[in-house]
Amino acid sequence: MNNISKSVPSPASPVLSPPAPSRSLPEPDSSGAVWLWRRLPDPATAVGLFLAARLIGVAAVTVAAVAAQKRPLGLLSRSWDSVWYLGVAHHGYGHTYYRFGHVLSDLAFFPLYPGLIRATTAVSPLEPGKAALLLSWTAAAVAAWGIYAIGARLHGRAVAIALVLLWGLLPHSVVLSMAYTEPVFTAFAAWSLYAVLTRRWLWAGSLALLAGLSRPSGFAVAAAVLAAAAVEVWRARGRVSPRLWAGAALAPLGWTAYVLWVGQRTGDLLGGYFAVQRGWGSRLGLGALRFSKHLLLQPDQFVFTMSLVLTGAGLLLYVLLLVDRAPLPLVAFTSVLVLVALGNSAYFECKPRFLLPAFPLLLPLAQALVRTARARPMHAAVVACALAGLSVVYGAYLVVLARLPV
């Protein structure tokens, strides 16, 4: 994984191995900042730009929090879901709260992130909130590197850097700086998908297993590994490496094991976990569609309207990804995340966050941004600055002022 720039695709079907990056467009002249940009290690440029974007976002949250007489670190480490993860890390599972007719159980929260928080506090002087932030920020950087690796393999260095930058400038990218599971999940997901594209099946399955222990939508990574493995088995007529079978077997184990453990604990092996989710009001259905109709006919709070716009934009990008004929693993992964985000009847304001790990949605946008940068650099700069402004301002608003789950 460390030598991304020198990885050579092995012969395979077009479903798993994308064509070599196009070099029909000339690179910019080697002068000034461009000279330095071209000589930095490939992932360093992408991760550096990502971290710069997120530091600016954290600075905006800090300024808004101080102006509102609130504690910035407290908002980033102990808001909404973060409180539940910290509770599991400190006390373990077994806490249930009753609120507004809902039965809220901490069994809805997957165990990997709380386990990592607990391990970090055990070996360091950090208190749980700061340990949670350290893990999230580190995982976000690792995720950015993995996203770069996939973008570079598919479309070359420039598109890969644009892809990472766009991911760091999404309106909900402030979540990547909070004590939430999206950074950890995306890190495992990105590297698992990269392992599938490079046909490292054991790595793919192992990382998918860990992704499945991170979030309820973790089975999206297993779906990607299994879909790619199924195509490989079909094309090779079953004559495949034992590593492929092992990776495919490992991929769904994390998510399945936790769901069954919750079922065993609640006395309903197959349905217990889903009953816990229903207690939170979370189920697949048409509730989101009905609420979208309500927003179109009668505008509600600003966050709900923005969520409708951002979710609609995500759906449009999904269609463009399909038209672009992205590799099957990326399509399978993204399809599951889009289905979960659109089909979940609860927490409409959280739908853009549910789509945050679906970074392949940004591939068509990244390609368009690079084409624009080469033809009209000033136009591309204006677009990037506009996205940065929206990300910084809206992120600070969500964390400090919105009073709704992020």
Side-chain angles (χ1 to χ4, degrees):
M1 290 186 189
N2 333 5
N3 200 6
I4 296 161
S5 60
K6 298 182 181 178
S7 63
V8 180
S10 56
S13 69
V15 174
L16 296 182
S17 292
S22 170
R23 302 191 181 276
S24 58
L25 292 173
E27 292 289 335
D29 293 334
S30 301
S31 60
V34 175
W35 182 89
L36 176 63
W37 178 80
R38 292 183 65 183
R39 280 156 180 77
L40 283 172
D42 283 355
T45 303
V47 176
L49 287 173
F50 171 80
L51 292 177
R54 294 310 331 127
L55 284 173
I56 294 171
V58 170
V61 170
T62 301
V63 170
V66 170
Q69 299 184 334
K70 298 179 180 178
R71 295 175 56 249
L73 277 180
L75 290 172
L76 292 172
S77 65
R78 298 179 182 275
S79 293
W80 303 105
D81 288 5
S82 305
V83 176
W84 289 89
Y85 287 115
L86 293 174
V88 173
H90 186 63
H91 302 291
Y93 286 103
H95 290 78
T96 301
Y97 299 89
Y98 300 89
R99 186 179 181 188
F100 305 131
H102 291 291
V103 181
L104 309 181
S105 169
D106 58 10
L107 292 172
F109 296 90
F110 276 55
L112 182 61
Y113 187 49
L116 291 174
I117 295 171
R118 187 166 189 146
T120 303
T121 57
V123 300
S124 74
L126 294 175
E127 58 91 16
K130 292 178 181 177
L133 287 179
L134 175 64
L135 287 167
S136 289
W137 295 349
T138 303
V142 173
W145 184 11
I147 292 170
Y148 170 86
I150 290 174
R153 182 173 179 82
L154 295 178
H155 300 291
R157 183 177 189 248
V159 171
I161 291 174
L163 178 65
V164 173
L165 183 59
L166 288 171
W167 188 62
L169 292 179
L170 287 172
H172 273 67
S173 59
V174 68
V175 172
L176 302 173
S177 304
M178 298 176 69
Y180 270 58
T181 55
E182 275 75 12
V184 173
F185 170 62
T186 310
F188 287 124
W191 283 109
S192 177
L193 291 170
Y194 179 76
V196 172
L197 293 174
T198 54
R199 305 166 69 79
R200 295 175 172 92
W201 295 105
L202 280 178
W203 273 110
S206 302
L207 292 169
L209 184 155
L210 293 172
L213 289 170
S214 304
R215 286 187 54 75
S217 54
F219 63 90
V221 189
V225 175
L226 292 174
V231 169
E232 187 76 0
V233 169
W234 179 75
R235 288 184 177 276
R237 302 193 179 192
R239 295 189 293 272
V240 294
S241 163
R243 291 174 177 268
L244 184 148
W245 294 111
L250 284 171
L253 286 186
W255 187 87
T256 304
Y258 182 69
V259 168
L260 292 178
W261 179 80
V262 173
Q264 185 272 334
R265 180 161 176 153
T266 58
D268 180 1
L269 186 63
L270 298 180
Y273 171 76
F274 303 101
V276 168
Q277 287 288 359
R278 287 194 296 274
W280 283 81
S282 181
R283 57 170 62 86
L284 290 178
L286 299 177
L289 184 61
R290 287 192 291 267
F291 193 74
S292 299
K293 180 181 177 182
H294 158 74
L295 289 177
L296 291 172
L297 298 177
Q298 183 180 347
D300 208 307
Q301 295 188 53
F302 176 64
V303 171
F304 290 134
T305 304
M306 277 293 291
S307 297
L308 178 63
V309 171
L310 295 174
T311 305
L315 189 57
L316 175 60
L317 290 173
Y318 176 66
V319 173
L320 293 177
L321 184 73
L322 297 179
V323 171
D324 198 40
R325 300 182 66 183
L328 175 63
L330 300 188
V331 171
F333 170 71
T334 307
S335 297
V336 173
L337 292 180
V338 169
L339 175 63
V340 170
L342 296 182
N344 194 322
S345 295
Y347 302 105
F348 191 90
E349 66 276 15
C350 296
K351 290 187 182 298
R353 172 168 68 84
F354 297 157
L355 289 174
L356 189 59
F359 62 87
L361 291 174
L362 300 171
L363 275 168
L365 199 56
Q367 294 176 71
L369 184 62
V370 169
R371 287 194 295 268
T372 303
R374 287 169 172 167
R376 297 181 176 84
M378 187 56 67
H379 291 189
V382 169
V383 170
C385 289
L387 289 174
L390 174 61
S391 174
V392 167
V393 173
Y394 189 60
Y397 169 76
L398 284 175
V399 175
V400 180
L401 301 173
R403 297 185 181 181
L404 284 170
V406 179

